[in-house]
Structure formats: structure tokens, C-alpha cells
């Protein structure tokens, strides 16, 4: 009885600054709830366990944003400490732990153990492993550091500065004082080394330090990861280049051989076989089942890109998925959509850098064009936008509000009819992704160039027969390389253009003044056209777009709208559309997570594949 009650209390603790935070101090009920004598400390043991479980009670919901909360640091240390104890225990009980009667030999530890730091969240593994080796196992410092570096490798996932973990030193003083000492010692040796290579270069020492000085002294966890790892990688080629040229420029100069790329991938079992059996069967009929464990075999489909029967079968599989998803929306949400319209899908976490607002401006532009010339033929579209906003991210919530507000106007305008619908997909999650992605015609991947590390949604859509409209960002670049840029809808400023624009100065006003359709759309948002009951509702959004838009939405508006017109154009020719779909599917093999993991194993972990001996099923005897 106590457990559910404590759970309930933890979850209903008063909220502050954002509706999701749970206080660490769960109140223990003061009134005796059981008419039992307290024998052998049983109750205390149960209560203590509940207090300990508070550490893992809540998952911080931010996307690409660092929030330096104490509970989060406790969580990170908890998971690291438990993992390392398990690793050490396993190593010691293996034959490689070559124990003499008192001391374990850690010589072979890096050959037998690989710790892949998936972002900086488990960075404490570095000082924790040093602590175990030096303090507990009495390994000398230099040997321990060698072992730690050869064991750990670090994957970077973002270059957005607000996402990088920089913990206040004061929090470490309170929670992890020994780890702080170890980090200082690591940093001292690191800076001594840099100083010996670059004598007198004091600014370089400041830039490369793990400790950031200032009114709040902080620990830069990414710097700790780079120093404590033998390999550092980004998650798409363009991102790995940006990592070398910007965030870790000084570190790349110091140790260029450390830096690698491992382009992300997705599993074809979940993201094709399981979620899209119709398309999977259509492919199996042509090329067999080999592609499911070797996705590069999808290239065997290329010769069928002009095969009339195959084009018809692929289009049919898509149409069936669209009908099924339409029925799902109607049943679960009571919204009716036109299943023969183009399904234009933009699903991912809501974030300014992902530019859902650019999509909004396009929707409004289409709406205004229909209203201006209602008799003209328009390619019917159902625009679906979905994704979660972090509870404390006000602008992300306003973006959702804008999408639904635009929908309220557009969807109820009789002049528009079913030529344009705007649907916000609530509660976007893997199970919904598995339904909507197989039904999509168009995949929106429109982040500002240089901001999306890789993306994996882009790959899911490609494999499921949607065409991509996207910028030259993240893995989109490699998708265009694999399929041929002519088989995607690529638009907008590239990383170099963005840099040049930053040099010159980005002024949203210039685009607003020059582009009448953009101006009309922005004016409608700011005047309350989409929020008649609350005309000022979107003034923060428009103020951001006009005066401090870090992601330069207006700079790509013209190219985006023009590119969307090309999308419409091609969609009117179903055979040519499906031809491109087939070419995309056939060229999506690179984006299997099997390929990604094989590369990590070969280039970072130094492990070779072995045949998996699958035990025979344990069938009941009768
Ligand atoms: C794949 C996936 C993502 C990542 O999508 P991106 O477009 O790469 O940001 C996010 N959420 C869910 C539920 C997903 O399935």
C-alpha cells in the first residue's frame, strides 16, 4: 500500500517553473498507515528503498537543452556507478582478471571492455573509473589514465551551445568531492601537456580547460570526454566535420587521429518489416529477404525503378498505408482527412532549430494562394505536424499553439475545402511514428544547415517510401549523396552560406520587406488572424522571428516555398513520383544501424564479428 501512495505523492508534489518537475524530498506519511508492530526495521527498509528509488523516478524531458539540476547529476552518477561496478565485477570474475592472490591485473582491461559514452551524460564514467583504479585497486595514476583512455570513447550528438553539459563546480563539491579532485588532477596534467606544446598560449589553455572560470565556475563535460577517450565521433559526416572545425577545434589540432565519423542508422526490422509489412512484402517479392539483415541489398531494386508493375505495387502499398492511417485518425481522434491528398509529414521534437515555423509559413502561404484564386487547381495536401515540446520550453509550446490555430482557420474555411488540412499529431512517440511514417508521401527535414547533428527520422521516411524536402544538414547530405540529389527536394542555405550570412549580419526585416507573401503571412500571425479571440497570442513568436531568430527562418522561406512548388509539380505525376520513391528506397541501405554498429565495432571497439550460436528452442516434452 505504501509504494503506490508514495509514488502518487511524488508525482503530485507542487510544481515549479515547468509542470513536470518532481521534488526530491518525498514526504513519508506521518500517520501510521498499518496496524502492525514495527518488527526488525521492515518498514524503514521499505521506506529507504523508496527514497533511493526517487533517483530514477523522473526522466528529464528536455531535447537539446542542458538544465543543471542536482537530481539529474545524481541520476547520471547513479547509472555510471552501477554500470562500472558491474563491469569491474564481470572483469574480475573472467579469466582476464588474472588475479594474483591480492591484486587484479588490469593490463588487458581496455582489450576486454569498451565504454561508449553516448553523449556527455555518462561522462562521470571517466573520473569514476579513475577512482576505482587508483583509490580502490591501487593502480598508479599514469597506468590508470592509460587504461581509462583506452577503454572510453565519446560520441557527440549536438553542437548547440545551450545543450552542452556544464556543471557548476559547487554542485560537485557537495555531491562528488572525490570526483572533483580527480577531474582537477586530470585537467592539470592535460593543461601541462598543452602548455608544453604551445608555450605562452594562455588563451588556448583557457579554451581547452575542463574547468571554465567565471562568476560560476563550471565543469565542461564535453572537454572531459574528449580528453578521457581514445576516439571521438560525430553522427553524420557533415556534423563530424563541424565538430572538428568548431566545438572541438583546439582538441582536433592537438589529437587529429582521435576524431572520426559514424553516421547514424535505424533498424530495418522495426522501421520496415514491423511497421510496414505491405511494402516489405512488395520488396521481398522482387529481391528476396536478404535485405533485412543486409540493407545494402536494397540496391537490387534499382533496375525495377521503371518497372510498371513494381511502380504500381509500391504505390498500392503506400495508398493502403494512407487509408489505414486515415481510418486510425478518424477512429482515435475523430478527424477526417482526404486519403488521396499528399501526406506532408513533419514529426520530430518541437524545437526552433528544427523550424516547424518555416513549415507554418508555407502552410499559410498555400492558404493565402487558395483564397486569392479559389478557382485555380491546387494539389490537395494534408500537412501533419507532430512532436513534443519540453514542458519548460515556452517557444516550443507556442509553436504547437500556432499549428493548431492555423488548423482551426484553414480546416474550417469552406473555400479551402479538402485541398488543405493542417493536423497536429498529439503525443508523438515511437508507436505513432510506426503508423504515420509508412503513410507519408513527403518527409520534412528542414533544420537550419549546421544544426541537426544527423536526424534519424529522415532515414525512417526514406526507407518507407516518402520523398524528402530538406536542407543540406545532418544525414540529409548523405541521403542525397546515396540517392542522387535529383531524387530529393533539397533547398536553402548551406553551412557556408549560413556562416557568410552571420558575418554580414542576418536581418529578418530585409526578407519581410522584399517578399510580399512572407509579409502577409507574418502580418496575419501578428494581427491575430489565426487567434481572433486572443489577437496578441503570437506576438512573442513574431518578435522572435523578426528580431532574434538564431535559426534564420526567413532566410530560407523563398527557396522553401519554391521547392514545395516543385513537390506539387511532381506529385501530379504519380508514376514519376513513385519512380523517385523506389530510387530512394533502393539507396537507403547505408542508413541501417547494422552498418553503423559494424563501424563502431571495427573502428572504435576493436571487436570482430563472430557467428551467433542460437540455442534450440526449449520445447515442452510430452
Ligand atoms: C525517430 C524518432 C525521433 C527522431 O526524429 P528526428 O526527425 O531525427 O528528430 C524522434 N521521436 C520519435 C518518436 C522517433 O521515432
Amino acid at each position: 500500500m505504501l509504494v503506490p501512495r508514495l509514488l502518487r505523492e511524488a508525482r503530485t508534489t507542487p510544481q515549479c517553473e515547468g509542470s513536470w518537475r518532481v521534488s526530491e524530498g518525498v514526504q513519508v506519511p506521518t500517520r501510521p498507515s498499518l496496524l502492525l508492530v514495527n518488527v526488525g526495521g521492515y518498514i524503514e527498509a521499505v521506506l529507504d528503498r523508496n527514497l533511493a528509488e526517487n533517483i530514477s523516478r523522473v526522466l528529464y524531458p528536455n531535447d537539446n537543452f542542458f538544465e543543471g539540476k542536482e537530481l539529474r547529476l545524481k541520476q547520471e552518477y547513479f547509472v555510471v556507478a552501477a554500470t562500472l561496478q558491474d563491469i569491474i565485477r564481470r572483469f574480475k570474475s573472467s579469466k582476464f582478471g588474472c588475479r594474483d592472490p591480492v591484486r587484479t591485473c588490469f593490463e588487458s582491461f581496455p582489450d576486454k571492455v569498451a565504454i561508449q559514452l553516448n553523449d556527455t551524460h555518462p561522462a562521470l564514467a571517466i573520473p569514476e573509473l579513475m577512482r576505482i583504479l587508483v583509490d580502490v585497486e591501487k593502480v598508479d595514476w599514469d597506468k590508470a589514465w592509460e587504461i581509462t583512455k583506452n577503454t572510453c570513447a565519446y560520441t557527440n550528438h549536438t553542437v548547440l551551445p545551450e545543450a552542452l553539459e556544464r556543471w557548476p563546480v559547487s554542485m560537485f563539491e557537495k555531491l562528488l568531492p572525490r570526483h572533483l579532485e580527480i577531474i582537477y588532477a586530470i585537467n592539470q596534467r592535460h593543461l601541462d601537456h598543452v602548455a608544453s606544446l604551445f608555450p605562452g598560449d594562455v588563451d588556448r589553455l583557457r579554451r581547452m580547460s575542463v574547468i571554465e572560470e567565471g562568476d560560476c565556475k563550471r565543469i565542461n563535460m564535453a572537454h572531459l570526454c574528449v580528453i578521457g577517450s581514445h576516439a571521438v565521433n560525430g553522427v553524420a559526416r557533415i556534423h563530424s566535420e563541424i565538430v572538428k572545425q568548431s566545438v572541438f577545434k583546439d582538441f582536433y589540432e592537438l589529437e587529429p587521429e582521435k576524431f572520426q565519423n559514424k553516421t547514424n542508422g535505424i533498424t530495418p526490422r522495426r522501421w520496415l518489416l514491423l511497421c510496414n509489412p505491405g511494402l516489405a512484402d512488395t520488396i521481398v517479392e522482387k529481391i528476396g529477404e536478404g535485405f533485412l539483415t543486409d540493407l545494402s541489398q536494397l540496391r537490387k531494386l534499382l533496375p525495377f525503378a521503371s518497372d510498371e508493375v513494381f511502380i504500381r505495387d509500391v504505390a498500392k502499398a503506400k495508398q493502403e498505408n494512407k487509408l489505414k492511417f486515415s481510418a486510425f485518425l478518424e477512429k482515435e481522434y475523430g478527424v477526417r482527412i482526404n486519403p488521396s491528398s499528399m501526406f506532408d509529414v513533419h514529426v520530430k521534437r518541437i524545437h526552433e532549430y528544427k523550424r516547424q515555423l518555416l513549415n507554418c509559413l508555407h502552410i499559410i502561404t498555400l492558404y493565402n494562394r487558395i483564397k486569392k484564386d479559389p478557382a485555380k487547381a491546387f494539389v490537395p495536401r494534408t500537412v501533419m505536424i507532430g512532436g513534443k515540446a519540453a514542458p519548460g520550453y515556452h517557444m516550443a509550446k507556442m509553436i504547437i499553439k500556432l499549428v493548431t490555430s492555423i488548423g482551426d482557420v484553414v480546416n474550417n474555411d469552406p473555400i479551402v475545402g479538402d485541398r488543405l488540412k493542417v493536423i497536429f499529431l498529439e503525443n508523438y512517440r515511437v508507436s505513432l511514428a510506426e503508423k504515420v511514417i509508412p503513410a507519408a508521401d513527403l518527409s520534412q527535414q528542414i533544420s537550419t544547415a549546421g544544426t541537426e547533428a544527423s536526424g534519424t527520422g529522415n532515414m525512417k521516411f526514406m526507407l518507407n517510401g516518402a520523398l524528402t524536402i530538406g536542407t543540406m544538414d545532418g544525414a540529409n547530405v548523405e541521403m542525397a549523396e546515396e540517392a542522387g540529389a535529383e531524387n530529393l527536394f533539397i533547398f536553402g542555405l548551406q553551412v557556408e552560406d549560413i556562416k557568410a550570412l552571420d558575418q554580414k549580419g542576418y536581418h529578418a526585416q530585409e526578407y519581410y520587406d522584399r517578399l510580399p507573401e512572407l509579409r502577409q503571412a507574418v502580418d496575419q500571425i501578428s494581427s491575430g488572424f489565426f487567434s481572433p479571440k486572443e489577437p496578441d497570442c503570437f506576438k512573442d513568436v513574431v518578435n522572435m522571428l523578426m528580431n532574434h531568430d538564431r535559426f534564420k527562418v526567413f532566410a530560407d522561406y523563398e527557396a522553401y516555398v519554391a521547392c514545395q512548388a516543385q513537390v506539387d509539380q511532381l506529385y501530379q505525376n504519380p508514376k514519376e513520383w513513385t519512380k523517385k520513391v523506389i530510387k530512394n528506397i533502393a539507396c537507403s541501405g547505408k542508413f541501417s544501424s547494422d552498418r553503423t554498429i559494424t563501424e563502431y565495432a571495427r573502428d572504435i571497439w576493436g571487436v570482430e564479428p563472430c557467428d551467433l550460436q542460437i540455442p534450440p528452442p526449449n520445447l515442452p516434452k510430452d
Side-chain angles (χ1 to χ4, degrees):
M1 286 296 103
L2 284 171
V3 175
R5 176 169 169 183
L6 281 174
L7 255 168
R8 200 164 56 240
E9 285 179 7
R11 288 177 178 158
T12 55
T13 298
Q15 296 153 346
C16 52
E17 297 177 72
S19 56
W20 46 271
R21 271 181 214 98
V22 170
S23 158
E24 294 178 67
V26 174
Q27 293 288 306
V28 171
T30 47
R31 190 164 43 83
S33 50
L34 290 173
L35 294 170
L36 286 176
V37 221
N38 179 12
V39 185
Y42 172 75
I43 300 284
E44 282 76 8
V46 172
L47 293 182
D48 271 359
R49 195 188 65 189
N50 281 314
L51 286 174
E53 283 175 1
N54 288 337
I55 284 190
S56 58
R57 214 178 285 288
V58 65
L59 179 65
Y60 283 82
N62 296 323
D63 176 64
N64 279 286
F65 186 75
F66 171 61
E67 191 177 62
K69 282 285 182 312
E70 193 173 289
L71 176 58
R72 171 68 179 202
L73 183 59
K74 287 181 182 171
Q75 291 178 336
E76 291 184 354
Y77 180 62
F78 172 73
V79 177
V80 159
T83 304
L84 279 176
Q85 284 175 50
D86 185 49
I87 288 172
I88 299 281
R89 177 184 57 79
R90 284 164 185 259
F91 180 75
K92 283 187 173 180
S93 66
S94 77
K95 61 179 188 242
F96 307 106
C98 63
R99 253 170 304 181
D100 72 32
V102 272
R103 275 167 72 166
T104 306
C105 162
F106 284 91
E107 205 64 39
S108 65
F109 192 81
D111 298 334
K112 300 301 162 191
V113 176
I115 298 177
Q116 190 67 35
L117 304 172
N118 190 20
D119 212 324
T120 61
H121 312 150
L124 281 167
I126 292 168
E128 175 71 354
L129 181 54
M130 284 300 285
R131 187 189 67 79
I132 293 168
L133 292 175
V134 172
D135 295 357
V136 183
E137 304 291 344
K138 309 298 178 196
V139 178
D140 73 55
W141 180 280
D142 290 341
K143 191 77 230 161
W145 183 239
E146 190 71 15
I147 292 168
T148 299
K149 265 177 70 161
N150 287 331
T151 301
C152 295
Y154 162 58
T155 304
N156 173 274
H157 287 274
T158 181
V159 297
L160 295 185
E162 66 270 33
L164 302 178
E165 285 192 304
R166 293 155 62 249
W167 290 102
V169 164
S170 57
M171 221 177 263
F172 270 64
E173 280 166 352
K174 180 177 161 202
L175 295 179
L176 297 161
R178 179 57 184 146
H179 293 78
L180 181 60
E181 284 180 352
I182 291 170
I183 290 168
Y184 275 132
I186 292 170
N187 194 40
Q188 188 60 58
R189 284 167 169 80
H190 158 66
L191 292 182
D192 287 348
H193 177 60
V194 175
S196 73
L197 293 173
F198 301 90
D201 194 345
V202 184
D203 198 58
R204 185 181 297 264
L205 294 180
R206 182 192 56 75
R207 292 196 308 266
M208 295 186 76
S209 179
V210 175
I211 308 296
E212 296 179 358
E213 304 290 341
D215 34 319
C216 173
K217 252 178 127 178
R218 287 173 183 275
I219 306 176
N220 186 314
M221 303 305 272
H223 288 187
L224 178 63
C225 286
V226 174
I227 294 165
S229 297
H230 67 283
V232 176
N233 73 281
V235 291
R237 194 209 296 139
I238 188 175
H239 165 62
S240 296
E241 289 303 316
I242 291 169
V243 156
K244 291 190 285 186
Q245 287 154 24
S246 64
V247 252
F248 301 134
K249 186 171 188 286
D250 295 314
F251 294 88
Y252 176 59
E253 262 176 59
L254 190 69
E255 300 179 291
E257 65 289 341
K258 252 191 198 180
F259 288 79
Q260 301 190 23
N261 171 245
K262 294 289 167 278
T263 298
N264 276 165
I266 54 167
T267 168
R269 274 71 67 184
R270 176 182 297 277
W271 295 113
L272 181 57
L273 188 59
L274 193 82
C275 73
N276 199 346
L279 180 60
D281 280 348
T282 306
I283 296 170
V284 169
E285 276 177 28
K286 278 283 179 245
I287 63 169
E289 295 180 350
F291 69 95
L292 287 168
T293 48
D294 172 14
L295 206 63
S296 65
Q297 288 187 29
L298 284 176
R299 284 211 180 262
K300 293 180 188 167
L301 290 174
L302 273 180
F304 301 109
S306 307
D307 177 325
E308 303 270 330
V309 179
F310 189 60
I311 290 174
R312 202 194 52 211
D313 289 348
V314 169
K316 183 160 165 267
K318 178 63 72 181
Q319 197 52 42
E320 282 168 4
N321 293 335
K322 290 174 71 174
L323 283 167
K324 196 171 161 195
F325 190 70
S326 305
F328 164 82
L329 279 187
E330 178 151 10
K331 179 161 176 283
E332 299 295 322
Y333 299 97
V335 294
R336 286 178 96 122
I337 58 175
N338 171 8
S340 61
S341 62
M342 182 203 303
F343 283 15
D344 168 343
V345 183
H346 195 177
V347 286
K348 47 186 75 253
R349 292 297 295 263
I350 309 291
H351 202 294
E352 286 162 84
Y353 88 81
K354 291 173 181 283
R355 297 202 295 192
Q356 282 90 2
L357 287 171
L358 182 56
N359 190 354
C360 289
L361 292 172
H362 174 247
I363 296 166
I364 297 170
T365 302
L366 288 183
Y367 173 73
N368 290 333
R369 286 180 182 179
I370 294 171
K371 295 286 279 188
K372 197 173 167 193
D373 193 357
K376 205 179 143 198
F378 287 91
V379 179
R381 276 199 197 221
T382 303
V383 186
M384 295 177 241
I385 300 179
K388 287 177 177 162
Y393 188 178
H394 175 251
M395 190 55 68
K397 291 184 167 189
M398 290 313 297
I399 291 169
I400 294 176
K401 177 81 179 156
L402 180 61
V403 172
T404 59
S405 301
I406 294 169
D408 288 343
V409 170
V410 170
N411 300 347
N412 297 304
D413 190 323
I415 295 191
V416 174
D418 69 357
R419 293 183 289 184
L420 182 60
K421 292 283 177 222
V422 184
I423 311 289
F424 181 75
L425 298 174
E426 289 174 19
N427 195 14
Y428 180 60
R429 60 202 186 284
V430 167
S431 57
L432 186 56
E434 288 173 351
K435 294 183 174 72
V436 69
I437 292 171
D441 294 305
L442 186 65
S443 159
Q444 298 240 25
Q445 308 298 337
I446 61 176
S447 52
T448 312
T451 65
E452 187 76 271
S454 163
T456 53
N458 46 4
M459 303 167 185
K460 300 169 195 168
F461 282 98
M462 186 187 194
L463 182 59
N464 281 278
L467 297 188
T468 301
I469 183 164
T471 48
M472 277 298 214
D473 199 20
N476 299 353
V477 176
E478 290 158 78
M479 286 164 49
E481 177 175 277
E482 292 297 301
E486 71 281 7
N487 294 309
L488 286 79
F489 297 94
I490 297 292
F491 72 95
L493 300 180
Q494 304 196 9
V495 170
E496 272 54 41
D497 306 319
I498 295 280
K499 273 192 208 157
L501 187 50
D502 275 326
Q503 290 283 315
K504 162 178 162 289
Y506 166 68
H507 302 292
Q509 184 77 41
E510 292 171 6
Y511 303 90
Y512 175 91
D513 291 339
R514 182 164 61 80
L515 304 167
E517 290 188 296
L518 171 62
R519 185 162 62 245
Q520 184 185 5
V522 172
D523 288 349
Q524 285 167 317
I525 298 170
S526 62
S527 69
F529 182 86
F530 299 107
S531 52
K533 288 180 184 153
E534 207 188 331
D536 286 346
C537 186
F538 300 114
K539 69 173 197 307
D540 291 357
V541 176
V542 172
N543 178 44
M544 181 277 289
L545 288 170
M546 293 293 295
N547 301 311
H548 41 88
D549 176 9
R550 295 169 56 208
F551 303 105
K552 303 182 175 64
V553 170
F554 291 5
D556 275 336
Y557 168 84
E558 190 178 22
Y560 179 58
V561 171
C563 194
Q564 286 281 20
Q566 293 178 15
V567 172
D568 280 340
Q569 183 87 150
L570 186 70
Y571 197 74
Q572 288 171 286
N573 186 340
K575 200 186 281 180
E576 287 304 312
W577 179 279
T578 305
K579 238 183 224 184
K580 283 202 202 291
V581 164
I582 294 169
K583 288 180 187 172
N584 270 270
I585 297 169
C587 297
S588 65
K590 176 175 180 182
F591 306 104
S592 170
S593 51
D594 300 344
R595 187 269 314 149
T596 310
I597 290 167
T598 302
E599 289 180 7
Y600 277 95
R602 187 192 60 205
D603 304 336
I604 300 180
W605 308 328
V607 293
E608 310 239 292
C610 63
D611 280 326
L612 183 62
Q613 300 299 322
I614 298 166
N618 217 346
L619 296 173
K621 289 187 215 103
D622 52 19

